[in-house]
């Protein structure tokens, strides 16, 4: 047996906390077991506790001598990349948008175009061709602003729901919207279509949000979004999230979002998170953006308010992944309103990145497709030897291809997260003892 390359150690009194990024397992070792592990690592002394050795193997902290862990990572990545039982679909029913956000990577591709019946029919034909053997369909409605094309969402959703029900396929839909049109009536339409995963964006308090995310005529949008949330209060279900696109300009205003949601008494039903603004497609001033390291620390501070929630903390846990995003999965596609097919959200409207069209059934294996599908982080000069690679897999593929920084947040905050995670576990133990 040998020690895993992907182990991280953090002293804990006389013992330690050990975390393995390849398996995602974490364990607390007391002094006796930590000493045994050190003897194994430093002096190659055999572990004389059979159950302890079994547990270390089970957690991936030690592995067989002849196992190449990078090959294990590559193996599981290839399984996920080419699995056909799950279909990941992103549909943009329109390229039109009622906002003109300053950092939007689609602003050069915005067009007053909407999906027509021919494209809708082609999407259904595509799904019919894939439904046999399918177990799960993950679908995200995107844009532009997808609620501008609610009729298309409704018509396609009804057909897709029926198809999935008839074939025993699990259907997991969601939508990414700016929230301006999300009235109670429209929210109920989404719920009736099983669309419970809803993401809305707010960029801080009224002034900063209105400056960053104005309506297309230049007027503010904050009050309309907040009024919609207030009016939807009685019907909002779990699954709604508020995203704060964050950079150096609005960082001082992110807490205003949490305060306002609290004032509306919606903090238990809407999860709020920060997202780092990137210069995707060179759409924004890089000097206004945080580095990965800078943002990771800020995000940790923002999230600490939510870490008393076991569910929230579990969602933040550094889990290993086979791929970083659906762009690297063969059975995944992004469909624009004209039927053009892409691998990445950020590619919509960039015709040279198209890999086909649903109306013609054409499929093109071009450079863009190969850049997404054939990349192997285990053989990357930059990432191949990084111990964080299994929980990162080189980050956002589109940003990686563009040569931008894509490191995982845990490269900068793993020790801090371990402190929070193990602290919560100790609190749970204390609470359990007190309740006995």
């Amino acid at each position: 047996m040998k020690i895993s390359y992907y182990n991280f150690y953090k002293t804990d009194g006389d013992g330690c906390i050990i975390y393995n990024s390849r398996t995602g397992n974490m364990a607390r070792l007391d002094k006796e077991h930590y000493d045994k592990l050190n003897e194994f690592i430093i002096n190659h002394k055999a572990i004389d506790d059979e159950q302890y050795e079994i547990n270390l193997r089970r957690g991936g902290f030690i592995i067989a001598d002849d196992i190449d862990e990078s090959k294990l990572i590559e193996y599981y990545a290839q399984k996920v990349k080419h699995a056909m039982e799950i279909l990941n679909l992103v549909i943009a029913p329109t390229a039109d948008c009622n906002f003109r956000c300053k950092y939007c990577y689609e602003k050069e591709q915005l067009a007053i175009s909407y999906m027509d019946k021919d494209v809708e029919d082609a999407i259904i034909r595509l799904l019919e061709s894939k439904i046999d053997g399918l177990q799960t369909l993950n679908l995200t409605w995107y844009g532009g602003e997808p609620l501008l094309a609610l009729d298309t969402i409704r018509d396609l959703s009804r057909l897709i729901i029926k198809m999935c029900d008839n074939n025993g396929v699990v259907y997991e839909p969601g939508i990414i919207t700016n929230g301006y049109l999300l009235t109670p009536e429209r929210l109920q339409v989404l719920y009736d279509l099983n669309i419970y995963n809803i993401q809305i964006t707010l960029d801080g308090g009224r002034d900063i949000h209105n400056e960053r995310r104005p309506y297309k005529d230049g007027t503010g949008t904050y009050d309309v979004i907040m009024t919609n949330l207030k009016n939807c209060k009685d019907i909002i279900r779990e699954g709604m999230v508020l995203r704060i696109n964050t950079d150096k300009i609005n960082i001082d205003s992110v807490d205003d979002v949490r305060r306002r949601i609290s004032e509306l008494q919606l903090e238990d039903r809407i999860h709020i998170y920060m997202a780092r603004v990137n210069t995707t497609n060179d759409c924004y001033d890089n000097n206004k953006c945080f580095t990965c390291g800078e943002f990771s620390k800020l995000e940790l501070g923002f999230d600490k308010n939510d870490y008393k929630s076991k569910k929230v903390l579990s969602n933040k846990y550094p889990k290993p992944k086979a791929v970083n995003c659906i762009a690297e999965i063969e059975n995944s596609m992004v469909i624009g309103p004209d039927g053009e097919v892409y691998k990445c959200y950020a590619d919509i409207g960039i015709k040279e990145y198209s890999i086909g069209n649903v109306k013609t059934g054409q499929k093109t294996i071009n450079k863009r497709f190969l850049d997404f599908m054939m990349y192997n982080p285990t053989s990357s000069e930059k990432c191949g030897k990084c111990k964080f690679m299994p929980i990162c897999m080189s980050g956002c593929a589109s940003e990686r291809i563009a040569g931008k920084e894509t490191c995982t947040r845990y490269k900068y905050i793993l020790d801090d997260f371990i402190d929070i995670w193990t602290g919560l576990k100790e609190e749970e133990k204390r609470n359990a003892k007190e309740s006995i």
Side-chain angles (χ1 to χ4, degrees):
M1 301 298 294
K2 64 182 178 182
I3 203 73
S4 170
Y5 177 76
Y6 297 101
N7 284 349
F8 292 82
Y9 307 91
K10 190 176 191 307
T11 56
D12 180 49
D14 292 332
C16 85
I17 305 295
I18 183 172
Y19 167 76
N20 185 276
S21 60
R22 185 182 63 80
T23 63
N25 288 316
M26 187 185 297
R28 173 179 267 123
L29 306 182
D30 59 22
K31 184 179 186 304
E32 177 187 354
H33 290 94
Y34 185 34
D35 288 345
K36 288 179 184 289
L37 186 62
N38 272 329
E39 283 292 311
F40 176 77
I41 295 170
I42 298 169
N43 299 319
H44 308 291
K45 182 179 178 181
I47 297 171
D48 58 3
D49 183 329
E50 182 180 359
Q51 188 57 54
Y52 181 38
E53 182 176 342
I54 290 172
N55 290 340
L56 288 172
R57 286 205 312 267
R58 188 175 293 156
F61 304 118
I62 60 174
I63 57 171
D65 286 321
D66 60 352
I67 289 292
D68 182 337
E69 287 184 282
S70 66
K71 294 294 183 185
L72 275 179
I73 294 167
E74 185 180 357
Y75 167 70
Y76 287 113
Q78 291 301 320
K79 281 186 67 176
V80 171
K81 274 177 174 280
H82 301 292
M84 302 306 287
E85 66 272 15
I86 298 175
L87 173 60
N88 301 290
L89 199 58
V90 177
I91 301 177
T94 179
D96 194 10
C97 189
N98 48 0
F99 281 22
R100 293 297 182 267
C101 303
K102 291 197 168 184
Y103 47 74
C104 179
Y105 56 78
E106 291 185 299
K107 57 190 172 188
E108 300 303 324
Q109 283 77 48
L110 285 176
I112 306 175
S113 60
Y114 288 76
M115 188 171 285
D116 61 25
K117 187 68 165 54
D118 288 344
V119 177
E120 292 180 30
D121 291 343
I123 290 172
I124 295 303
R125 289 196 300 272
L126 171 71
L127 290 175
E128 287 173 341
S129 72
K130 290 179 169 288
I131 200 73
D132 187 30
L134 203 63
Q135 295 177 6
T136 303
L137 169 57
N138 298 314
L139 192 157
T140 301
W141 296 102
Y142 195 63
E145 170 47 46
L147 289 181
L148 289 169
L150 185 58
D151 287 346
T152 298
I153 294 173
R154 180 163 36 207
D155 293 345
L156 276 174
S157 291
R158 287 171 176 167
L159 294 171
I160 293 169
I161 290 169
K162 183 177 180 180
M163 191 187 306
C164 288
D165 286 346
N166 289 342
N167 290 275
V169 174
V170 175
Y171 179 48
E172 296 286 351
I175 189 168
I176 298 173
T177 171
N178 58 39
Y180 194 87
L181 297 173
L182 196 64
T183 61
E185 294 76 21
R186 292 190 181 95
L187 179 59
Q188 190 58 56
V189 169
L190 296 181
Y191 285 160
D192 291 343
L193 299 171
N194 299 337
I195 302 172
Y196 304 118
N197 296 316
I198 300 170
Q199 178 182 289
I200 302 169
T201 303
L202 284 166
D203 277 10
R206 177 183 288 105
D207 291 344
I208 191 71
H209 174 91
N210 286 341
E211 193 270 333
R212 293 162 65 85
R213 296 179 64 80
Y215 198 71
K216 59 185 178 182
D217 64 4
T219 58
T221 59
Y222 178 90
D223 288 333
V224 174
I225 298 169
M226 282 302 181
T227 297
N228 286 341
L229 292 177
K230 181 179 179 181
N231 292 339
C232 290
K233 178 179 176 180
D234 292 336
I235 62 172
I236 289 176
R237 302 187 187 185
E238 185 178 358
M240 184 175 287
V241 298
L242 286 183
R243 170 185 172 120
I244 308 174
N245 291 324
T246 309
D247 57 28
K248 296 176 182 178
I249 306 304
N250 73 326
I251 183 61
D252 293 332
S253 190
V254 294
D255 284 327
D256 293 340
V257 177
R258 179 178 279 134
R259 281 193 289 270
R260 183 62 183 134
I261 294 303
S262 180
E263 289 170 3
L264 294 174
Q265 298 180 324
L266 284 169
E267 65 269 30
D268 293 333
R269 277 180 280 175
I270 299 178
H271 174 62
I272 305 170
Y273 77 100
M274 289 168 52
R276 186 170 72 98
V277 174
N278 290 315
T279 56
T280 304
N281 298 341
D282 296 320
C283 64
Y284 195 54
D285 183 353
N286 190 57
N287 291 324
K288 296 177 181 177
C289 299
F290 288 112
T291 65
C292 288
E294 291 170 338
F295 183 77
S296 297
K297 296 289 186 180
L298 293 166
E299 186 184 17
L300 179 73
F302 184 81
D303 287 343
K304 276 185 177 178
N305 293 311
D306 296 326
Y307 278 167
K308 291 182 180 179
S309 163
K310 182 179 179 182
K311 180 177 180 181
V312 171
L313 188 58
S314 295
N315 288 337
K316 298 286 185 177
Y317 189 90
K319 303 178 184 73
K321 56 181 74 172
V323 296
N324 186 69
C325 72
I326 65 169
E328 300 171 290
I329 297 175
E330 184 173 2
N331 207 26
S332 300
M333 63 189 75
V334 178
I335 303 175
D338 53 359
E340 290 294 310
V341 178
Y342 307 89
K343 289 302 291 176
C344 175
Y345 291 73
D347 291 353
I348 294 177
I350 305 176
K351 292 301 173 69
E352 60 265 35
Y353 288 167
S354 171
I355 62 166
N357 191 290
V358 289
K359 288 191 293 185
T360 63
Q362 163 201 354
K363 183 176 180 180
T364 302
I365 297 180
N366 55 16
K367 182 180 184 302
R368 188 69 169 173
F369 177 88
L370 294 173
D371 281 345
F372 282 122
M373 289 300 303
M374 298 307 295
Y375 176 74
N376 177 12
T378 65
S379 59
S380 162
E381 182 177 345
K382 176 185 175 184
C383 304
K385 297 300 182 182
C386 178
K387 292 177 66 172
F388 292 94
M389 186 256 291
I391 58 175
C392 177
M393 298 303 281
S394 294
C396 171
S398 179
E399 296 296 306
R400 168 183 55 76
I401 292 168
K404 296 178 180 176
E405 185 185 18
T406 60
C407 293
T408 175
R409 68 199 298 256
Y410 298 104
K411 181 177 179 179
Y412 309 99
I413 63 163
L414 183 63
D415 277 0
D416 299 295
F417 185 87
I418 288 173
D419 285 342
I420 295 168
W421 178 261
T422 54
L424 180 68
K425 292 298 181 183
E426 287 303 308
E427 184 177 338
E428 286 178 348
K429 290 177 186 177
R430 287 194 296 273
N431 291 339
K433 290 178 181 178
E434 290 170 2
S435 64
I436 295 175

